[in-house]
């Protein structure tokens, strides 16, 4: 029953009971008719007073809730409008550059270096666009509760070194960049969701790089109690204290229109928080405008006390690919050609299956197939089913699933189906070659 009907029904019921029983009681105890009339009047006033107090209390609590909700709706509307304006700017800028430089590339008189420069601009802008799409996708997955945690063994120190090396070239030479680890390599073998940890640290480092022109950027972790405490600090522009408690809200960007415009749609920190919540951790920050910012987050420490099998990581890539038969299960011709082009000249034989069933049949008939690269979305039989079927008769065959974007659900399903690894689309030549060589040498 609706709230207002309940209130009215309650009011009428209590009123009726009050009139019935109080009258009976008064008639029983009081015999004098004058006295009875006076008490009846007081009784009426008493009822009015009590119901007024009750109504006030109930209405007040409801009005507070309604006003809070209204305030939130106004704020959320403001943030969404700001987001839409911002995202349209963020999409238009790289789009303009892609359209513009593609047009310029048509000019036959361009020198090789000019062409390279334009291609570099197009590639950078595509990355920027892809980043926005990924962020919007991530936040909607987080908000709809569709992201799950995929725990795997991770050598945390290696991951930190990898991140350090990938950021080193991006950082201005005048900024000192450091990384510190708080555990020995053996103890840093932990169980966690490596994709999420990498994404969180990268998002925080991206901000540090974006908002710091000079001084220092550092990141690392320590072990305290049973928690890994990560930090990412910088000596950049800092964040005013009135924004500290809202900073992890989605779409929030500090600063007004007349200040320097930094790229970003205000989703990075909300995604970090969503991911850290999923990992049962906490995130907070400390910052002073003009001095810098420090972001800290924790995750539970879950060590794995086993020796990791040593992998022959540095085998020569060409030797790995030479004479290797690679089955590419991919229904999209353009994607297949791209993959074929990547392996061209490496001495590998490339076979093509256009759907999952064909991939299974080819693996059954052809023993020379040494590795399978399989797309998840395919007609007739999808990638998951095909992987499961191939696993039944070729348990040791390395299978790499190709998933769309970095959706950890898709990855998890691919791992559950039996794939050894995954690569998310779009991927670069280096990423594909390194994943194939990793799986061939392990
Ligand atoms: P964006 O993609 O716009 O950077 P974030 O959610 O990552 O979105 O960050 C939200 C806002 O918080 C940024 O626009 C910026 O104003 C502020 N911010 C985040 N990190 C830093 C930092 N290290 N230094 C200064 N400001 C920061």
């Amino acid at each position: 029953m609706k709230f207002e009907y309940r209130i009215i029904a309650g009011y009428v019921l209590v009123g009726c009971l009050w009139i019935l029983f109080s009258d009976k009681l008064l008639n029983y105890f009081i015999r004098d008719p004058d006295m009875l009339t006076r008490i009846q009047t007081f009784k009426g006033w008493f009822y009015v007073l009590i119901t007024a107090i009750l109504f006030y209390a109930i209405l007040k609590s409801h009005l507070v809730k309604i006003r809070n909700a209204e305030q939130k709706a106004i704020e959320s509307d403001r943030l969404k409008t700001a987001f839409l304006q911002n995202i349209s700017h963020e999409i238009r800028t790289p789009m303009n550059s892609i359209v513009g430089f593609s047009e310029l590339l048509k000019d036959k008189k361009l020198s090789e270096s000019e062409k390279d420069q334009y291609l570099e601009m197009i590639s950078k802008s595509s990355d920027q666009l892809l980043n926005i799409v990924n962020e919007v996708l991530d936040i909607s997955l987080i908000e709809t509760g569709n992201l799950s945690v995929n725990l795997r063994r991770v050598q945390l120190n290696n991951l930190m070194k990898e991140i350090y090396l990938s950021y080193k070239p991006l950082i201005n030479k005048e900024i000192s960049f450091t990384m510190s680890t708080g555990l020995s390599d053996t103890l840093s073998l932990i169980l966690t969701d490596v994709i999420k940890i990498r994404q969180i640290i990268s998002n925080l480092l991206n901000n540090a790089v974006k908002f710091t022109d000079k001084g220092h950027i550092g990141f690392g972790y320590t072990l305290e109690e049973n928690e890994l405490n990560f930090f990412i600090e910088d000596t950049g522009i800092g964040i005013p204290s009135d924004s500290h408690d809202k900073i992890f809200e989605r779409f929030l960007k500090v600063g007004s229109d007349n200040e320097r415009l930094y790229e970003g749609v205000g989703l990075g920190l909300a995604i970090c928080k969503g991911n850290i919540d999923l990992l049962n951790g906490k995130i907070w920050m400390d910052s002073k405008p003009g001095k810098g910012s420090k972001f800290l987050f924790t995750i539970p420490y879950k060590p794995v006390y086993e020796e990791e099998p040593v992998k022959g990581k540095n085998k020569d890539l060409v030797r790995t690919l030479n004479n290797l038969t690679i089955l590419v299960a991919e229904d999209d011709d353009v994607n297949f050609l791209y993959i074929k082009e990547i392996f061209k000249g490496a001495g590998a034989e490339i076979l093509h299956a256009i759907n999952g069933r064909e991939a299974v049949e080819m693996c059954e008939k052809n023993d020379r197939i040494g590795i399978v690269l399989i797309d998840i979305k395919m007609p007739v039989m999808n990638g998951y089913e095909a992987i499961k079927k191939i696993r039944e008769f070729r348990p040791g065959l390395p299978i790499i699933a190709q998933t769309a974007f970095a959706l950890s659900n898709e990855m998890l399903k691919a791992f559950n189906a039996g794939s050894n690894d995954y690569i998310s689309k779009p991927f670069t030549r280096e990423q594909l070659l390194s994943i194939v060589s990793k799986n061939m040498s392990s």
Side-chain angles (χ1 to χ4, degrees):
M1 208 203 286
K2 275 189 180 165
F3 171 72
E4 58 268 34
Y5 297 149
R6 268 186 287 152
I7 286 275
I8 299 295
Y11 177 73
V12 172
L13 188 73
V14 174
C16 289
L17 291 174
W18 171 250
I19 291 168
L20 263 171
F21 288 104
S22 60
D23 279 358
K24 274 206 169 135
L25 225 75
L26 288 178
N27 286 335
Y28 183 77
F29 285 112
I30 300 164
R31 302 277 165 211
D32 176 4
D34 277 352
M35 180 80 150
L36 202 62
T37 317
R38 251 179 286 141
I39 293 187
Q40 292 279 21
T41 312
F42 282 126
K43 202 187 72 178
W45 280 112
F46 177 72
Y47 188 67
V48 168
L49 196 74
I50 291 293
T51 45
I53 293 172
L54 274 176
F55 272 132
Y56 173 76
I58 295 170
L59 278 178
K60 193 175 172 204
S61 78
H62 271 263
L63 279 178
V64 167
K65 271 190 213 155
I66 290 168
R67 281 180 195 142
N68 282 348
E70 192 183 30
Q71 206 54 42
K72 268 198 182 150
I74 293 171
E75 175 69 0
S76 145
D77 204 44
R78 192 189 64 72
L79 283 173
K80 270 185 202 144
T81 312
F83 169 73
L84 285 177
Q85 283 168 351
N86 188 233
I87 203 162
S88 108
H89 168 263
E90 291 296 321
I91 290 178
R92 268 168 213 275
T93 316
M95 265 323 253
N96 274 346
S97 143
I98 293 173
V99 174
F101 283 109
S102 308
E103 201 56 39
L104 288 177
L105 271 176
K106 287 183 189 159
D107 185 350
K108 302 259 177 320
K109 286 181 236 125
L110 285 180
S111 69
E112 280 307 307
S113 77
E114 277 171 327
K115 267 191 211 161
D116 284 349
Q117 202 186 343
Y118 293 173
L119 284 171
E120 174 74 26
M121 297 303 289
I122 293 175
S123 154
K124 251 195 189 158
S125 302
S126 313
D127 285 349
Q128 220 173 312
L129 268 184
L130 190 66
N131 208 23
I132 295 173
V133 175
N134 275 340
E135 283 201 339
V136 173
L137 204 69
D138 275 344
I139 198 76
S140 47
L141 285 177
I142 288 173
E143 296 209 340
T144 51
N146 276 319
L147 265 197
S148 51
V149 174
N150 178 16
L151 294 182
R152 304 192 69 202
R153 284 154 47 120
V154 184
Q155 237 281 339
L156 188 57
N157 286 0
N158 280 354
L159 176 69
M160 299 291 281
K161 272 177 222 150
E162 228 177 80
I163 297 178
Y164 176 80
L165 291 176
S166 65
Y167 273 85
K168 183 86 183 125
L170 308 177
I171 290 174
N172 189 334
K173 297 275 170 301
E174 282 149 38
I175 297 173
S176 72
F177 181 46
T178 56
M179 186 274 288
S180 63
T181 51
L183 290 170
S184 68
D185 285 356
T186 321
L187 288 178
S188 84
L189 188 63
I190 57 164
L191 211 56
T192 192
D193 188 322
V194 63
I195 296 162
K196 293 198 170 56
I197 295 289
R198 189 198 298 272
Q199 191 184 14
I200 296 163
I201 299 178
S202 302
N203 269 348
L204 296 173
L205 274 176
N206 286 345
N207 280 345
V209 174
K210 187 159 66 176
F211 296 107
T212 310
D213 284 334
K214 56 182 184 322
H216 171 71
I217 294 176
F219 74 109
Y221 75 89
T222 54
L223 176 70
E224 267 156 52
E225 311 268 301
N226 238 349
E227 286 188 325
L228 291 170
N229 285 9
F230 289 83
F231 65 88
I232 290 87
E233 60 188 7
D234 64 63
T235 53
I237 62 170
I239 299 165
S241 53
D242 58 352
S243 295
H244 286 190
D245 51 347
K246 296 185 288 198
I247 201 81
F248 296 104
E249 284 175 18
R250 65 204 201 290
F251 310 144
L252 189 116
K253 281 184 81 169
V254 180
S256 61
D257 297 343
N258 46 13
E259 287 173 42
R260 176 175 156 191
L261 204 59
Y262 287 95
E263 132 194 336
V265 285
L267 287 177
L269 291 178
I271 294 171
C272 284
K273 176 152 180 9
N275 277 331
I276 292 169
D277 286 346
L278 279 175
L279 295 173
N280 290 327
K282 284 188 294 274
I283 180 164
W284 67 103
M285 51 87 60
D286 189 20
S287 178
K288 278 205 178 79
K291 294 255 183 279
S293 314
K294 186 169 185 174
F295 283 83
L296 300 115
F297 74 92
T298 59
I299 55 162
Y301 175 52
K302 295 185 186 151
V304 180
Y305 298 106
E306 289 171 39
E307 283 286 306
E308 215 193 0
V310 184
K311 292 179 182 168
K313 274 184 196 152
N314 297 326
K315 275 193 184 168
D316 183 4
L317 182 62
V318 177
R319 217 174 52 217
T320 312
L321 293 177
N322 202 13
N323 287 329
L324 177 67
T325 303
I326 305 174
L327 172 64
V328 181
E330 170 66 78
D331 63 318
D332 186 304
D333 284 345
V334 178
N335 274 345
F336 173 71
L337 278 179
Y338 174 60
I339 295 171
K340 197 172 160 194
E341 203 59 25
I342 290 176
F343 289 113
K344 201 165 100 183
E349 183 191 3
I350 307 293
L351 304 178
H352 187 193
I354 54 167
N355 60 49
R357 188 183 301 152
E358 211 174 281
V360 177
E361 285 166 6
M362 285 172 85
C363 285
E364 245 170 343
K365 285 185 199 140
N366 191 341
D367 281 346
R368 280 181 301 116
I369 293 174
I371 190 161
V372 180
L373 205 65
I374 193 161
D375 188 22
I376 288 304
K377 283 209 176 70
M378 276 188 299
V380 188
M381 181 188 282
N382 68 30
Y384 305 122
E385 278 183 50
I387 295 171
K388 273 191 206 145
K389 291 220 169 347
I390 296 170
R391 273 284 162 262
E392 286 169 13
F393 55 88
R394 296 277 306 261
L397 179 66
I399 303 179
I400 299 169
Q402 298 177 60
T403 59
F405 301 113
L407 300 182
S408 53
N409 281 1
E410 277 194 6
M411 288 168 203
L412 189 62
K413 268 168 92 178
F415 278 119
N416 287 342
S419 81
N420 302 72
D421 220 330
Y422 66 87
I423 184 160
S424 54
K425 287 179 186 174
F427 43 78
T428 62
R429 180 178 182 275
E430 281 66 35
Q431 283 167 333
L432 182 62
L433 290 179
S434 103
I435 207 150
V436 168
S437 83
K438 182 178 117 196
N439 282 280
M440 287 314 296
S441 53
S442 58

